[in-house]
PDB file of all heavy atoms in Angstrom:
ATOM      1  N   SER D  17       3.134   5.116   7.113  1.00  0.00           N
ATOM      2  CA  SER D  17       4.269   5.425   6.324  1.00  0.00           C
ATOM      3  C   SER D  17       5.439   5.956   7.223  1.00  0.00           C
ATOM      4  O   SER D  17       6.614   5.653   6.943  1.00  0.00           O
ATOM      5  CB  SER D  17       3.935   6.430   5.192  1.00  0.00           C
ATOM      6  OG  SER D  17       4.980   6.574   4.292  1.00  0.00           O
ATOM      7  N   GLN D  18       5.090   6.799   8.143  1.00  0.00           N
ATOM      8  CA  GLN D  18       6.094   7.363   9.093  1.00  0.00           C
ATOM      9  C   GLN D  18       6.846   6.328   9.829  1.00  0.00           C
ATOM     10  O   GLN D  18       8.037   6.416  10.126  1.00  0.00           O
ATOM     11  CB  GLN D  18       5.401   8.363  10.050  1.00  0.00           C
ATOM     12  CG  GLN D  18       6.367   9.016  10.995  1.00  0.00           C
ATOM     13  CD  GLN D  18       5.644   9.841  12.052  1.00  0.00           C
ATOM     14  OE1 GLN D  18       4.404  10.041  11.967  1.00  0.00           O
ATOM     15  NE2 GLN D  18       6.384  10.395  12.953  1.00  0.00           N
ATOM     16  N   HIS D  19       6.139   5.221  10.152  1.00  0.00           N
ATOM     17  CA  HIS D  19       6.686   4.143  10.932  1.00  0.00           C
ATOM     18  C   HIS D  19       7.300   2.964  10.062  1.00  0.00           C
ATOM     19  O   HIS D  19       7.483   1.925  10.528  1.00  0.00           O
ATOM     20  CB  HIS D  19       5.652   3.535  11.906  1.00  0.00           C
ATOM     21  CG  HIS D  19       5.373   4.425  13.060  1.00  0.00           C
ATOM     22  ND1 HIS D  19       6.200   4.635  14.082  1.00  0.00           N
ATOM     23  CD2 HIS D  19       4.303   5.263  13.240  1.00  0.00           C
ATOM     24  CE1 HIS D  19       5.660   5.497  14.965  1.00  0.00           C
ATOM     25  NE2 HIS D  19       4.549   5.928  14.419  1.00  0.00           N
ATOM     26  N   THR D  20       7.535   3.290   8.774  1.00  0.00           N
ATOM     27  CA  THR D  20       8.114   2.284   7.894  1.00  0.00           C
ATOM     28  C   THR D  20       9.300   2.972   7.228  1.00  0.00           C
ATOM     29  O   THR D  20       9.260   3.609   6.165  1.00  0.00           O
ATOM     30  CB  THR D  20       7.102   1.821   6.823  1.00  0.00           C
ATOM     31  OG1 THR D  20       5.903   1.367   7.459  1.00  0.00           O
ATOM     32  CG2 THR D  20       7.713   0.658   6.029  1.00  0.00           C
ATOM     33  N   LEU D  21      10.489   2.798   7.887  1.00  0.00           N
ATOM     34  CA  LEU D  21      11.682   3.486   7.443  1.00  0.00           C
ATOM     35  C   LEU D  21      12.419   2.664   6.374  1.00  0.00           C
ATOM     36  O   LEU D  21      13.238   3.240   5.645  1.00  0.00           O
ATOM     37  CB  LEU D  21      12.577   3.792   8.632  1.00  0.00           C
ATOM     38  CG  LEU D  21      11.967   4.706   9.716  1.00  0.00           C
ATOM     39  CD1 LEU D  21      12.957   4.864  10.844  1.00  0.00           C
ATOM     40  CD2 LEU D  21      11.543   6.024   9.109  1.00  0.00           C
ATOM     41  N   GLU D  22      12.292   1.384   6.378  1.00  0.00           N
ATOM     42  CA  GLU D  22      12.912   0.543   5.378  1.00  0.00           C
ATOM     43  C   GLU D  22      12.151  -0.693   5.093  1.00  0.00           C
ATOM     44  O   GLU D  22      11.493  -1.261   5.995  1.00  0.00           O
ATOM     45  CB  GLU D  22      14.350   0.231   5.801  1.00  0.00           C
ATOM     46  CG  GLU D  22      14.431  -0.519   7.125  1.00  0.00           C
ATOM     47  CD  GLU D  22      15.855  -0.883   7.471  1.00  0.00           C
ATOM     48  OE1 GLU D  22      16.751  -0.805   6.581  1.00  0.00           O
ATOM     49  OE2 GLU D  22      16.145  -1.254   8.679  1.00  0.00           O
ATOM     50  N   ALA D  23      12.237  -1.182   3.873  1.00  0.00           N
ATOM     51  CA  ALA D  23      11.603  -2.395   3.460  1.00  0.00           C
ATOM     52  C   ALA D  23      12.041  -2.749   2.051  1.00  0.00           C
ATOM     53  O   ALA D  23      12.313  -1.830   1.227  1.00  0.00           O
ATOM     54  CB  ALA D  23      10.012  -2.257   3.516  1.00  0.00           C
ATOM     55  N   ASP D  24      12.131  -4.023   1.778  1.00  0.00           N
ATOM     56  CA  ASP D  24      12.504  -4.469   0.391  1.00  0.00           C
ATOM     57  C   ASP D  24      11.278  -4.513  -0.524  1.00  0.00           C
ATOM     58  O   ASP D  24      11.422  -4.416  -1.692  1.00  0.00           O
ATOM     59  CB  ASP D  24      13.210  -5.793   0.471  1.00  0.00           C
ATOM     60  CG  ASP D  24      14.541  -5.723   1.160  1.00  0.00           C
ATOM     61  OD1 ASP D  24      15.399  -5.008   0.750  1.00  0.00           O
ATOM     62  OD2 ASP D  24      14.670  -6.480   2.182  1.00  0.00           O
ATOM     63  N   VAL D  25      10.128  -4.686   0.134  1.00  0.00           N
ATOM     64  CA  VAL D  25       8.875  -4.711  -0.581  1.00  0.00           C
ATOM     65  C   VAL D  25       7.786  -4.255   0.305  1.00  0.00           C
ATOM     66  O   VAL D  25       7.778  -4.552   1.557  1.00  0.00           O
ATOM     67  CB  VAL D  25       8.612  -6.144  -1.176  1.00  0.00           C
ATOM     68  CG1 VAL D  25       8.409  -7.143  -0.081  1.00  0.00           C
ATOM     69  CG2 VAL D  25       7.403  -6.158  -2.139  1.00  0.00           C
ATOM     70  N   ILE D  26       6.753  -3.528  -0.246  1.00  0.00           N
ATOM     71  CA  ILE D  26       5.640  -3.047   0.535  1.00  0.00           C
ATOM     72  C   ILE D  26       4.397  -3.762  -0.063  1.00  0.00           C
ATOM     73  O   ILE D  26       4.132  -3.702  -1.274  1.00  0.00           O
ATOM     74  CB  ILE D  26       5.492  -1.572   0.391  1.00  0.00           C
ATOM     75  CG1 ILE D  26       6.792  -0.844   0.915  1.00  0.00           C
ATOM     76  CG2 ILE D  26       4.301  -1.043   1.155  1.00  0.00           C
ATOM     77  CD1 ILE D  26       7.147   0.397   0.133  1.00  0.00           C
ATOM     78  N   HIS D  27       3.642  -4.408   0.814  1.00  0.00           N
ATOM     79  CA  HIS D  27       2.488  -5.208   0.388  1.00  0.00           C
ATOM     80  C   HIS D  27       1.259  -4.746   1.075  1.00  0.00           C
ATOM     81  O   HIS D  27       1.161  -4.910   2.306  1.00  0.00           O
ATOM     82  CB  HIS D  27       2.781  -6.684   0.702  1.00  0.00           C
ATOM     83  CG  HIS D  27       1.744  -7.625   0.105  1.00  0.00           C
ATOM     84  ND1 HIS D  27       1.855  -9.007   0.218  1.00  0.00           N
ATOM     85  CD2 HIS D  27       0.653  -7.431  -0.599  1.00  0.00           C
ATOM     86  CE1 HIS D  27       0.815  -9.577  -0.394  1.00  0.00           C
ATOM     87  NE2 HIS D  27       0.020  -8.625  -0.909  1.00  0.00           N
ATOM     88  N   CYS D  28       0.354  -4.131   0.379  1.00  0.00           N
ATOM     89  CA  CYS D  28      -0.878  -3.548   0.900  1.00  0.00           C
ATOM     90  C   CYS D  28      -2.096  -4.454   0.673  1.00  0.00           C
ATOM     91  O   CYS D  28      -2.287  -5.064  -0.342  1.00  0.00           O
ATOM     92  CB  CYS D  28      -1.150  -2.192   0.247  1.00  0.00           C
ATOM     93  SG  CYS D  28      -0.044  -0.886   0.825  1.00  0.00           S
ATOM     94  N   HIS D  29      -2.991  -4.411   1.683  1.00  0.00           N
ATOM     95  CA  HIS D  29      -4.200  -5.188   1.615  1.00  0.00           C
ATOM     96  C   HIS D  29      -5.405  -4.245   1.903  1.00  0.00           C
ATOM     97  O   HIS D  29      -5.505  -3.672   2.995  1.00  0.00           O
ATOM     98  CB  HIS D  29      -4.179  -6.329   2.689  1.00  0.00           C
ATOM     99  CG  HIS D  29      -3.063  -7.310   2.453  1.00  0.00           C
ATOM    100  ND1 HIS D  29      -3.350  -8.480   1.795  1.00  0.00           N
ATOM    101  CD2 HIS D  29      -1.796  -7.278   2.739  1.00  0.00           C
ATOM    102  CE1 HIS D  29      -2.178  -9.195   1.730  1.00  0.00           C
ATOM    103  NE2 HIS D  29      -1.209  -8.427   2.262  1.00  0.00           N
ATOM    104  N   THR D  30      -6.245  -4.143   0.889  1.00  0.00           N
ATOM    105  CA  THR D  30      -7.456  -3.301   0.819  1.00  0.00           C
ATOM    106  C   THR D  30      -7.152  -1.794   0.754  1.00  0.00           C
ATOM    107  O   THR D  30      -6.063  -1.374   1.184  1.00  0.00           O
ATOM    108  CB  THR D  30      -8.447  -3.533   2.002  1.00  0.00           C
ATOM    109  OG1 THR D  30      -7.952  -2.930   3.177  1.00  0.00           O
ATOM    110  CG2 THR D  30      -8.690  -5.007   2.252  1.00  0.00           C
ATOM    111  N   TRP D  31      -8.059  -1.030   0.228  1.00  0.00           N
ATOM    112  CA  TRP D  31      -7.872   0.409  -0.033  1.00  0.00           C
ATOM    113  C   TRP D  31      -7.498   1.172   1.216  1.00  0.00           C
ATOM    114  O   TRP D  31      -6.895   2.238   1.156  1.00  0.00           O
ATOM    115  CB  TRP D  31      -9.088   1.030  -0.714  1.00  0.00           C
ATOM    116  CG  TRP D  31     -10.230   1.238   0.209  1.00  0.00           C
ATOM    117  CD1 TRP D  31     -11.243   0.395   0.504  1.00  0.00           C
ATOM    118  CD2 TRP D  31     -10.467   2.417   1.086  1.00  0.00           C
ATOM    119  NE1 TRP D  31     -12.090   0.921   1.479  1.00  0.00           N
ATOM    120  CE2 TRP D  31     -11.639   2.149   1.836  1.00  0.00           C
ATOM    121  CE3 TRP D  31      -9.775   3.625   1.225  1.00  0.00           C
ATOM    122  CZ2 TRP D  31     -12.114   3.084   2.714  1.00  0.00           C
ATOM    123  CZ3 TRP D  31     -10.310   4.540   2.137  1.00  0.00           C
ATOM    124  CH2 TRP D  31     -11.446   4.291   2.844  1.00  0.00           C
ATOM    125  N   TYR D  32      -7.895   0.667   2.363  1.00  0.00           N
ATOM    126  CA  TYR D  32      -7.649   1.373   3.636  1.00  0.00           C
ATOM    127  C   TYR D  32      -6.188   1.760   3.832  1.00  0.00           C
ATOM    128  O   TYR D  32      -5.891   2.735   4.496  1.00  0.00           O
ATOM    129  CB  TYR D  32      -8.151   0.538   4.843  1.00  0.00           C
ATOM    130  CG  TYR D  32      -9.600   0.454   4.989  1.00  0.00           C
ATOM    131  CD1 TYR D  32     -10.308  -0.674   4.519  1.00  0.00           C
ATOM    132  CD2 TYR D  32     -10.372   1.458   5.580  1.00  0.00           C
ATOM    133  CE1 TYR D  32     -11.691  -0.762   4.699  1.00  0.00           C
ATOM    134  CE2 TYR D  32     -11.732   1.371   5.777  1.00  0.00           C
ATOM    135  CZ  TYR D  32     -12.394   0.245   5.284  1.00  0.00           C
ATOM    136  OH  TYR D  32     -13.736   0.149   5.426  1.00  0.00           O
ATOM    137  N   THR D  33      -5.286   0.988   3.260  1.00  0.00           N
ATOM    138  CA  THR D  33      -3.870   1.238   3.452  1.00  0.00           C
ATOM    139  C   THR D  33      -3.130   1.608   2.166  1.00  0.00           C
ATOM    140  O   THR D  33      -1.932   1.703   2.118  1.00  0.00           O
ATOM    141  CB  THR D  33      -3.178  -0.039   4.036  1.00  0.00           C
ATOM    142  OG1 THR D  33      -3.234  -1.073   3.076  1.00  0.00           O
ATOM    143  CG2 THR D  33      -3.817  -0.442   5.355  1.00  0.00           C
ATOM    144  N   HIS D  34      -3.822   1.824   1.087  1.00  0.00           N
ATOM    145  CA  HIS D  34      -3.260   2.052  -0.213  1.00  0.00           C
ATOM    146  C   HIS D  34      -2.380   3.351  -0.267  1.00  0.00           C
ATOM    147  O   HIS D  34      -1.315   3.452  -0.858  1.00  0.00           O
ATOM    148  CB  HIS D  34      -4.272   2.102  -1.313  1.00  0.00           C
ATOM    149  CG  HIS D  34      -4.706   0.754  -1.756  1.00  0.00           C
ATOM    150  ND1 HIS D  34      -5.741   0.587  -2.692  1.00  0.00           N
ATOM    151  CD2 HIS D  34      -4.273  -0.469  -1.402  1.00  0.00           C
ATOM    152  CE1 HIS D  34      -5.872  -0.719  -2.832  1.00  0.00           C
ATOM    153  NE2 HIS D  34      -5.049  -1.418  -2.077  1.00  0.00           N
ATOM    154  N   LEU D  35      -2.898   4.430   0.394  1.00  0.00           N
ATOM    155  CA  LEU D  35      -2.182   5.687   0.424  1.00  0.00           C
ATOM    156  C   LEU D  35      -0.795   5.501   1.189  1.00  0.00           C
ATOM    157  O   LEU D  35       0.196   6.023   0.779  1.00  0.00           O
ATOM    158  CB  LEU D  35      -2.930   6.779   1.150  1.00  0.00           C
ATOM    159  CG  LEU D  35      -3.868   7.630   0.190  1.00  0.00           C
ATOM    160  CD1 LEU D  35      -4.507   8.750   1.011  1.00  0.00           C
ATOM    161  CD2 LEU D  35      -3.161   8.223  -0.963  1.00  0.00           C
ATOM    162  N   ALA D  36      -0.822   4.757   2.230  1.00  0.00           N
ATOM    163  CA  ALA D  36       0.380   4.434   2.961  1.00  0.00           C
ATOM    164  C   ALA D  36       1.390   3.701   2.035  1.00  0.00           C
ATOM    165  O   ALA D  36       2.625   3.977   2.118  1.00  0.00           O
ATOM    166  CB  ALA D  36       0.155   3.619   4.239  1.00  0.00           C
ATOM    167  N   GLY D  37       0.872   2.825   1.266  1.00  0.00           N
ATOM    168  CA  GLY D  37       1.731   2.067   0.345  1.00  0.00           C
ATOM    169  C   GLY D  37       2.329   2.994  -0.733  1.00  0.00           C
ATOM    170  O   GLY D  37       3.545   2.917  -1.007  1.00  0.00           O
ATOM    171  N   ILE D  38       1.566   3.922  -1.275  1.00  0.00           N
ATOM    172  CA  ILE D  38       2.039   4.892  -2.232  1.00  0.00           C
ATOM    173  C   ILE D  38       3.115   5.749  -1.608  1.00  0.00           C
ATOM    174  O   ILE D  38       4.168   5.995  -2.226  1.00  0.00           O
ATOM    175  CB  ILE D  38       0.932   5.704  -2.845  1.00  0.00           C
ATOM    176  CG1 ILE D  38      -0.081   4.834  -3.586  1.00  0.00           C
ATOM    177  CG2 ILE D  38       1.445   6.825  -3.729  1.00  0.00           C
ATOM    178  CD1 ILE D  38      -1.335   5.551  -4.009  1.00  0.00           C
ATOM    179  N   PHE D  39       2.854   6.330  -0.474  1.00  0.00           N
ATOM    180  CA  PHE D  39       3.859   7.157   0.244  1.00  0.00           C
ATOM    181  C   PHE D  39       5.134   6.391   0.483  1.00  0.00           C
ATOM    182  O   PHE D  39       6.211   6.925   0.158  1.00  0.00           O
ATOM    183  CB  PHE D  39       3.321   7.634   1.611  1.00  0.00           C
ATOM    184  CG  PHE D  39       2.066   8.540   1.510  1.00  0.00           C
ATOM    185  CD1 PHE D  39       1.214   8.593   2.613  1.00  0.00           C
ATOM    186  CD2 PHE D  39       1.770   9.245   0.384  1.00  0.00           C
ATOM    187  CE1 PHE D  39       0.100   9.450   2.591  1.00  0.00           C
ATOM    188  CE2 PHE D  39       0.657  10.024   0.332  1.00  0.00           C
ATOM    189  CZ  PHE D  39      -0.199  10.131   1.461  1.00  0.00           C
ATOM    190  N   SER D  40       5.064   5.221   1.015  1.00  0.00           N
ATOM    191  CA  SER D  40       6.252   4.468   1.390  1.00  0.00           C
ATOM    192  C   SER D  40       7.043   4.030   0.141  1.00  0.00           C
ATOM    193  O   SER D  40       8.245   3.947   0.177  1.00  0.00           O
ATOM    194  CB  SER D  40       5.856   3.253   2.229  1.00  0.00           C
ATOM    195  OG  SER D  40       5.388   3.661   3.465  1.00  0.00           O
ATOM    196  N   ARG D  41       6.272   3.685  -0.953  1.00  0.00           N
ATOM    197  CA  ARG D  41       7.032   3.327  -2.172  1.00  0.00           C
ATOM    198  C   ARG D  41       7.978   4.418  -2.613  1.00  0.00           C
ATOM    199  O   ARG D  41       9.117   4.184  -3.008  1.00  0.00           O
ATOM    200  CB  ARG D  41       5.984   3.081  -3.302  1.00  0.00           C
ATOM    201  CG  ARG D  41       6.615   2.729  -4.648  1.00  0.00           C
ATOM    202  CD  ARG D  41       5.577   2.681  -5.755  1.00  0.00           C
ATOM    203  NE  ARG D  41       6.141   2.188  -7.002  1.00  0.00           N
ATOM    204  CZ  ARG D  41       6.710   2.934  -7.929  1.00  0.00           C
ATOM    205  NH1 ARG D  41       6.823   4.262  -7.654  1.00  0.00           N
ATOM    206  NH2 ARG D  41       7.239   2.425  -9.030  1.00  0.00           N
ATOM    207  N   GLU D  42       7.519   5.673  -2.498  1.00  0.00           N
ATOM    208  CA  GLU D  42       8.323   6.780  -2.912  1.00  0.00           C
ATOM    209  C   GLU D  42       9.465   7.103  -1.903  1.00  0.00           C
ATOM    210  O   GLU D  42      10.563   7.362  -2.285  1.00  0.00           O
ATOM    211  CB  GLU D  42       7.501   8.040  -3.179  1.00  0.00           C
ATOM    212  CG  GLU D  42       6.400   7.886  -4.249  1.00  0.00           C
ATOM    213  CD  GLU D  42       6.942   7.320  -5.538  1.00  0.00           C
ATOM    214  OE1 GLU D  42       8.014   7.760  -5.992  1.00  0.00           O
ATOM    215  OE2 GLU D  42       6.218   6.482  -6.161  1.00  0.00           O
ATOM    216  N   LEU D  43       9.125   7.055  -0.622  1.00  0.00           N
ATOM    217  CA  LEU D  43      10.039   7.412   0.464  1.00  0.00           C
ATOM    218  C   LEU D  43      11.145   6.327   0.689  1.00  0.00           C
ATOM    219  O   LEU D  43      12.315   6.661   0.932  1.00  0.00           O
ATOM    220  CB  LEU D  43       9.264   7.666   1.725  1.00  0.00           C
ATOM    221  CG  LEU D  43       8.391   8.872   1.724  1.00  0.00           C
ATOM    222  CD1 LEU D  43       7.478   8.870   3.000  1.00  0.00           C
ATOM    223  CD2 LEU D  43       9.149  10.166   1.611  1.00  0.00           C
ATOM    224  N   VAL D  44      10.714   5.061   0.528  1.00  0.00           N
ATOM    225  CA  VAL D  44      11.661   3.992   0.811  1.00  0.00           C
ATOM    226  C   VAL D  44      12.341   3.536  -0.524  1.00  0.00           C
ATOM    227  O   VAL D  44      13.385   2.867  -0.483  1.00  0.00           O
ATOM    228  CB  VAL D  44      10.914   2.804   1.473  1.00  0.00           C
ATOM    229  CG1 VAL D  44      11.867   1.601   1.732  1.00  0.00           C
ATOM    230  CG2 VAL D  44      10.276   3.281   2.785  1.00  0.00           C
ATOM    231  N   GLN D  45      11.699   3.830  -1.678  1.00  0.00           N
ATOM    232  CA  GLN D  45      12.161   3.410  -2.965  1.00  0.00           C
ATOM    233  C   GLN D  45      12.240   1.931  -3.053  1.00  0.00           C
ATOM    234  O   GLN D  45      13.271   1.345  -3.397  1.00  0.00           O
ATOM    235  CB  GLN D  45      13.520   4.061  -3.257  1.00  0.00           C
ATOM    236  CG  GLN D  45      13.482   5.527  -3.669  1.00  0.00           C
ATOM    237  CD  GLN D  45      12.734   5.756  -4.988  1.00  0.00           C
ATOM    238  OE1 GLN D  45      13.197   5.358  -6.019  1.00  0.00           O
ATOM    239  NE2 GLN D  45      11.516   6.325  -4.903  1.00  0.00           N
ATOM    240  N   SER D  46      11.112   1.283  -2.749  1.00  0.00           N
ATOM    241  CA  SER D  46      10.880  -0.141  -2.916  1.00  0.00           C
ATOM    242  C   SER D  46       9.574  -0.389  -3.538  1.00  0.00           C
ATOM    243  O   SER D  46       8.702   0.431  -3.510  1.00  0.00           O
ATOM    244  CB  SER D  46      10.933  -0.813  -1.505  1.00  0.00           C
ATOM    245  OG  SER D  46      12.230  -0.722  -0.937  1.00  0.00           O
ATOM    246  N   PRO D  47       9.456  -1.529  -4.241  1.00  0.00           N
ATOM    247  CA  PRO D  47       8.192  -1.803  -5.000  1.00  0.00           C
ATOM    248  C   PRO D  47       6.997  -1.985  -4.110  1.00  0.00           C
ATOM    249  O   PRO D  47       7.092  -2.485  -3.001  1.00  0.00           O
ATOM    250  CB  PRO D  47       8.581  -3.064  -5.794  1.00  0.00           C
ATOM    251  CG  PRO D  47       9.665  -3.739  -4.973  1.00  0.00           C
ATOM    252  CD  PRO D  47      10.412  -2.626  -4.348  1.00  0.00           C
ATOM    253  N   LEU D  48       5.891  -1.603  -4.725  1.00  0.00           N
ATOM    254  CA  LEU D  48       4.529  -1.724  -4.070  1.00  0.00           C
ATOM    255  C   LEU D  48       3.754  -2.851  -4.704  1.00  0.00           C
ATOM    256  O   LEU D  48       3.588  -2.845  -5.938  1.00  0.00           O
ATOM    257  CB  LEU D  48       3.806  -0.376  -4.219  1.00  0.00           C
ATOM    258  CG  LEU D  48       2.317  -0.377  -3.777  1.00  0.00           C
ATOM    259  CD1 LEU D  48       2.203  -0.688  -2.267  1.00  0.00           C
ATOM    260  CD2 LEU D  48       1.648   0.968  -4.062  1.00  0.00           C
ATOM    261  N   ILE D  49       3.264  -3.698  -3.881  1.00  0.00           N
ATOM    262  CA  ILE D  49       2.412  -4.816  -4.343  1.00  0.00           C
ATOM    263  C   ILE D  49       1.051  -4.672  -3.632  1.00  0.00           C
ATOM    264  O   ILE D  49       0.987  -4.418  -2.389  1.00  0.00           O
ATOM    265  CB  ILE D  49       3.025  -6.188  -4.059  1.00  0.00           C
ATOM    266  CG1 ILE D  49       4.283  -6.367  -4.900  1.00  0.00           C
ATOM    267  CG2 ILE D  49       2.061  -7.330  -4.296  1.00  0.00           C
ATOM    268  CD1 ILE D  49       5.061  -7.641  -4.620  1.00  0.00           C
ATOM    269  N   LEU D  50      -0.057  -4.906  -4.354  1.00  0.00           N
ATOM    270  CA  LEU D  50      -1.362  -4.831  -3.828  1.00  0.00           C
ATOM    271  C   LEU D  50      -2.052  -6.189  -3.969  1.00  0.00           C
ATOM    272  O   LEU D  50      -1.853  -6.833  -5.006  1.00  0.00           O
ATOM    273  CB  LEU D  50      -2.228  -3.813  -4.517  1.00  0.00           C
ATOM    274  CG  LEU D  50      -1.675  -2.386  -4.638  1.00  0.00           C
ATOM    275  CD1 LEU D  50      -2.722  -1.524  -5.450  1.00  0.00           C
ATOM    276  CD2 LEU D  50      -1.420  -1.765  -3.312  1.00  0.00           C
ATOM    277  N   THR D  51      -2.770  -6.588  -2.957  1.00  0.00           N
ATOM    278  CA  THR D  51      -3.598  -7.806  -3.104  1.00  0.00           C
ATOM    279  C   THR D  51      -5.120  -7.322  -3.231  1.00  0.00           C
ATOM    280  O   THR D  51      -5.520  -6.542  -2.390  1.00  0.00           O
ATOM    281  CB  THR D  51      -3.511  -8.733  -1.896  1.00  0.00           C
ATOM    282  OG1 THR D  51      -2.193  -9.437  -1.954  1.00  0.00           O
ATOM    283  CG2 THR D  51      -4.558  -9.840  -1.938  1.00  0.00           C
ATOM    284  N   THR D  52      -5.748  -7.826  -4.259  1.00  0.00           N
ATOM    285  CA  THR D  52      -7.130  -7.439  -4.556  1.00  0.00           C
ATOM    286  C   THR D  52      -8.091  -8.319  -3.796  1.00  0.00           C
ATOM    287  O   THR D  52      -8.438  -9.390  -4.269  1.00  0.00           O
ATOM    288  CB  THR D  52      -7.458  -7.474  -6.049  1.00  0.00           C
ATOM    289  OG1 THR D  52      -7.237  -8.797  -6.494  1.00  0.00           O
ATOM    290  CG2 THR D  52      -6.578  -6.513  -6.836  1.00  0.00           C
ATOM    291  N   HIS D  53      -8.502  -7.889  -2.579  1.00  0.00           N
ATOM    292  CA  HIS D  53      -9.474  -8.636  -1.833  1.00  0.00           C
ATOM    293  C   HIS D  53     -10.919  -8.232  -2.337  1.00  0.00           C
ATOM    294  O   HIS D  53     -11.891  -8.998  -2.200  1.00  0.00           O
ATOM    295  CB  HIS D  53      -9.373  -8.331  -0.384  1.00  0.00           C
ATOM    296  CG  HIS D  53      -8.106  -8.817   0.191  1.00  0.00           C
ATOM    297  ND1 HIS D  53      -7.847 -10.137   0.516  1.00  0.00           N
ATOM    298  CD2 HIS D  53      -6.949  -8.138   0.517  1.00  0.00           C
ATOM    299  CE1 HIS D  53      -6.636 -10.274   1.001  1.00  0.00           C
ATOM    300  NE2 HIS D  53      -6.074  -9.091   0.978  1.00  0.00           N
ATOM    301  N   SER D  54     -11.040  -7.043  -2.887  1.00  0.00           N
ATOM    302  CA  SER D  54     -12.284  -6.569  -3.457  1.00  0.00           C
ATOM    303  C   SER D  54     -11.962  -5.285  -4.169  1.00  0.00           C
ATOM    304  O   SER D  54     -10.863  -4.773  -4.097  1.00  0.00           O
ATOM    305  CB  SER D  54     -13.295  -6.277  -2.320  1.00  0.00           C
ATOM    306  OG  SER D  54     -12.849  -5.315  -1.414  1.00  0.00           O
ATOM    307  N   LEU D  55     -12.936  -4.741  -4.915  1.00  0.00           N
ATOM    308  CA  LEU D  55     -12.728  -3.440  -5.569  1.00  0.00           C
ATOM    309  C   LEU D  55     -13.824  -2.486  -5.181  1.00  0.00           C
ATOM    310  O   LEU D  55     -15.006  -2.819  -5.249  1.00  0.00           O
ATOM    311  CB  LEU D  55     -12.727  -3.632  -7.086  1.00  0.00           C
ATOM    312  CG  LEU D  55     -11.590  -4.487  -7.691  1.00  0.00           C
ATOM    313  CD1 LEU D  55     -11.762  -4.664  -9.188  1.00  0.00           C
ATOM    314  CD2 LEU D  55     -10.246  -3.747  -7.428  1.00  0.00           C
ATOM    315  N   GLU D  56     -13.412  -1.253  -4.780  1.00  0.00           N
ATOM    316  CA  GLU D  56     -14.397  -0.284  -4.360  1.00  0.00           C
ATOM    317  C   GLU D  56     -15.364   0.082  -5.487  1.00  0.00           C
ATOM    318  O   GLU D  56     -16.588   0.271  -5.259  1.00  0.00           O
ATOM    319  CB  GLU D  56     -13.662   1.023  -3.919  1.00  0.00           C
ATOM    320  CG  GLU D  56     -13.013   0.876  -2.606  1.00  0.00           C
ATOM    321  CD  GLU D  56     -13.888   0.519  -1.426  1.00  0.00           C
ATOM    322  OE1 GLU D  56     -14.604   1.444  -0.930  1.00  0.00           O
ATOM    323  OE2 GLU D  56     -13.953  -0.637  -1.099  1.00  0.00           O
ATOM    324  N   THR D  57     -14.904   0.106  -6.676  1.00  0.00           N
ATOM    325  CA  THR D  57     -15.793   0.453  -7.827  1.00  0.00           C
ATOM    326  C   THR D  57     -16.925  -0.566  -7.991  1.00  0.00           C
ATOM    327  O   THR D  57     -17.912  -0.179  -8.617  1.00  0.00           O
ATOM    328  CB  THR D  57     -14.978   0.594  -9.131  1.00  0.00           C
ATOM    329  OG1 THR D  57     -15.775   1.175 -10.142  1.00  0.00           O
ATOM    330  CG2 THR D  57     -14.407  -0.750  -9.582  1.00  0.00           C
ATOM    331  N   HIS D  58     -16.740  -1.724  -7.446  1.00  0.00           N
ATOM    332  CA  HIS D  58     -17.791  -2.788  -7.551  1.00  0.00           C
ATOM    333  C   HIS D  58     -18.661  -2.802  -6.302  1.00  0.00           C
ATOM    334  O   HIS D  58     -19.511  -3.747  -6.175  1.00  0.00           O
ATOM    335  CB  HIS D  58     -17.122  -4.134  -7.785  1.00  0.00           C
ATOM    336  CG  HIS D  58     -16.672  -4.343  -9.147  1.00  0.00           C
ATOM    337  ND1 HIS D  58     -15.839  -5.421  -9.503  1.00  0.00           N
ATOM    338  CD2 HIS D  58     -16.820  -3.613 -10.278  1.00  0.00           C
ATOM    339  CE1 HIS D  58     -15.551  -5.358 -10.801  1.00  0.00           C
ATOM    340  NE2 HIS D  58     -16.152  -4.225 -11.291  1.00  0.00           N
ATOM    341  N   ARG D  59     -18.479  -1.849  -5.364  1.00  0.00           N
ATOM    342  CA  ARG D  59     -19.228  -1.881  -4.160  1.00  0.00           C
ATOM    343  C   ARG D  59     -19.952  -0.546  -3.890  1.00  0.00           C
ATOM    344  O   ARG D  59     -19.673   0.099  -2.910  1.00  0.00           O
ATOM    345  CB  ARG D  59     -18.331  -2.266  -2.978  1.00  0.00           C
ATOM    346  CG  ARG D  59     -17.610  -3.630  -3.189  1.00  0.00           C
ATOM    347  CD  ARG D  59     -17.136  -4.197  -1.888  1.00  0.00           C
ATOM    348  NE  ARG D  59     -16.035  -3.414  -1.293  1.00  0.00           N
ATOM    349  CZ  ARG D  59     -15.487  -3.680  -0.131  1.00  0.00           C
ATOM    350  NH1 ARG D  59     -16.012  -4.681   0.603  1.00  0.00           N
ATOM    351  NH2 ARG D  59     -14.520  -2.986   0.326  1.00  0.00           N
TER     352      ARG D  59
END
């Protein structure tokens, strides 16, 4: 998140980066999109 100062859209892949996506969504004020490669609750 610290190294993402601007973006029109933030696209996260897997839970490993989801917190970075949440942080950057608020700091950059751009939409967050997630791709569901799997779900932790099912593993």
